[in-house]
Amino acid sequence: MKFGIHTLDDFDVRHKTVLCRIDINQPVDRETGTLKSTARIEACVPTIRELSDKGARVVLMAHQGSDIEYKNYYTTRPHAAVLTALLQRPVRFIEDVCGPYAQEQIKSLRDGEILLLDNVRFLAEEQTLFERSLHLSHDEQAKTLLVQKLAPLGDLYVCDAFAAAHRDQPSLAGFEQLLPSAMGRLFEKEYCILSEMMESPKHPCVFLLGGAKVADAFLMMDSVLEKNIADKILTGGLVANILLFARGTDIGEASRNIIHKAGLDEFIQTGRELLNKYSERIVLPEDLACVLEGMRREAPVDAFPKEAPAIDIGASAAAHYAQQIQQAATVFVNGPMGIFEEAPSEAGTRTVWHALGTTQAFTVVGGGDSITASAKYGITEKVSYICTGGGSLIRFLSGRELPVVRALREGAAR
């Protein structure tokens, strides 16, 4: 047991039916029906292999697609093919989640066999709109359709979906109320590494926050600065643009309109409050880049063109950030410095990511875009740890207890 949660070491799974919730949500090419990335699938393979090798009858539950926009939902069929290749053993897929056919197939499993159910978000109770509207307690989640249908067929519940641990949904937090429960190896690894980073990071500790998920960045910024986890926070992307406006630096109407259209105006005031408290420790870019007449243009922030939106940090800022990363003992990264997918706006991210690949610091990279950037610039193997979580990672670093962690602790207590 670790952190008040059972691990796989606490159970003998031979001849047992194990209901295992994983997070293998990946970008999908709908034209070909294939996955654009397999990073999260690769990360959960050790848990699945261990369960199978030890003679468990493994039932995998997973989601695919945005947690808000149902039009993005997609079958988990292609994931089964990837898992089969990675595990070098059959992973059977069925087009059912918890209906009679799924129940029948679960009952027919033999020791070591693996079954992947279809997308759990095809059930309304697994959708975030359902979660936010009803706010079910964990005991109430245990009474939902999915848990009531599958729990009687299982001997053990294993959650290996740290990336989804910020969600309060039945497949994540309901089974713990009815079955012995444990965290999988990936969950255990991520939770231990991040806990150590929160409790005793090696200093200097630098956080690099960028991208477009502004709410995530602002959610943790105050926490890691107040607790002296981060010595400095380097900013890029929309996070930096908002903080520049908060400081009173006008980088133009075009940049301001992007913030407004994204519904992020409230964070300008939040930024003012953060800068008032931590102005010496929040580092803003000294120059930015835009595209004018089809060409990349860079300028100091106080002389930035008003007619073009800022799409990247400038060369001076990138060089400064790279130096800070080289001098750090711990570096945490969430979000790129600009629109790194496009050539005119990738220079800042490329420079910073190259520094990540050469620093002697302990480096942690989290969030989908950051992981993608690491692959693009060839530093994936050079990063100390890549965390599969995005939202869960941010909430953990903000000091909030994750719903799934709480559910697993409740299960251990029971």
Side-chain angles (χ1 to χ4, degrees), residues 97-268:
V97 181
C98 63
Y101 184 57
Q103 296 170 49
E104 174 188 318
Q105 292 299 304
I106 291 171
K107 291 175 183 176
S108 70
L109 283 174
R110 297 180 180 181
D111 292 355
E113 290 187 335
I114 306 167
L115 174 68
L116 175 62
L117 305 176
D118 214 341
N119 188 351
V120 294
R121 283 185 177 158
F122 288 156
L123 300 178
E125 65 200 46
E126 283 291 310
Q127 298 174 14
T128 300
L129 292 175
F130 185 98
E131 173 190 344
R132 292 178 177 174
S133 297
L134 297 185
H135 302 287
L136 297 183
S137 69
H138 291 169
D139 284 332
E140 290 170 328
Q141 290 181 42
K143 298 174 183 177
T144 57
L145 179 69
L146 177 68
V147 180
Q148 288 294 305
K149 293 295 184 183
L150 297 190
L153 307 178
D155 299 298
L156 174 69
Y157 171 77
V158 172
C159 186
D160 209 29
F162 183 81
H166 59 302
R167 298 298 176 199
D168 213 347
Q169 297 163 346
S171 70
L172 293 158
F175 286 98
E176 294 92 332
Q177 315 310 311
L178 301 179
L179 290 174
S181 306
M183 55 183 170
R185 297 305 186 194
L186 175 62
F187 198 116
E188 179 184 349
K189 183 178 182 181
E190 299 202 316
Y191 194 69
C192 287
I193 287 175
L194 295 176
S195 294
E196 183 178 346
M197 194 173 105
M198 284 286 283
E199 292 169 7
S200 55
K202 291 183 179 179
H203 294 278
C205 178
V206 172
F207 273 51
L208 183 72
L209 303 181
K213 294 186 177 180
V214 172
D216 287 347
F218 279 84
L219 185 63
M220 73 157 137
M221 219 180 294
D222 188 60
S223 175
V224 298
L225 288 169
E226 182 180 9
K227 296 175 182 177
N228 291 316
I229 296 167
D231 295 297
K232 287 186 179 179
I233 293 180
L234 314 178
T235 62
L238 273 182
V239 177
N241 294 354
I242 288 173
L243 286 168
L244 285 167
F245 279 112
R247 190 180 66 181
T249 303
D250 184 1
I251 57 173
E253 193 63 26
S255 296
R256 187 69 176 80
N257 284 340
I258 290 175
I259 295 169
H260 179 70
K261 288 178 180 178
L264 302 173
D265 294 297
E266 63 181 291
F267 290 104
I268 293 178

Side-chain angles (χ1 to χ4, degrees), residues 278-334:
Y278 308 110
S279 61
E280 298 298 317
R281 297 163 63 191
I282 297 176
V283 182
L284 306 183
E286 57 200 83
D287 58 347
L288 297 170
C290 64
V291 172
L292 287 174
E293 299 178 351
M295 298 289 290
R296 178 183 173 97
R297 299 281 188 260
E298 296 188 2
V301 293
D302 56 2
F304 194 73
K306 301 295 189 285
E307 67 273 21
I311 55 172
D312 192 14
I313 62 172
S316 294
H320 180 211
Y321 290 3
Q323 182 184 42
Q324 292 290 317
I325 290 168
Q326 293 291 350
Q327 295 172 350
T330 305
V331 181
F332 169 80
V333 182
N334 186 263

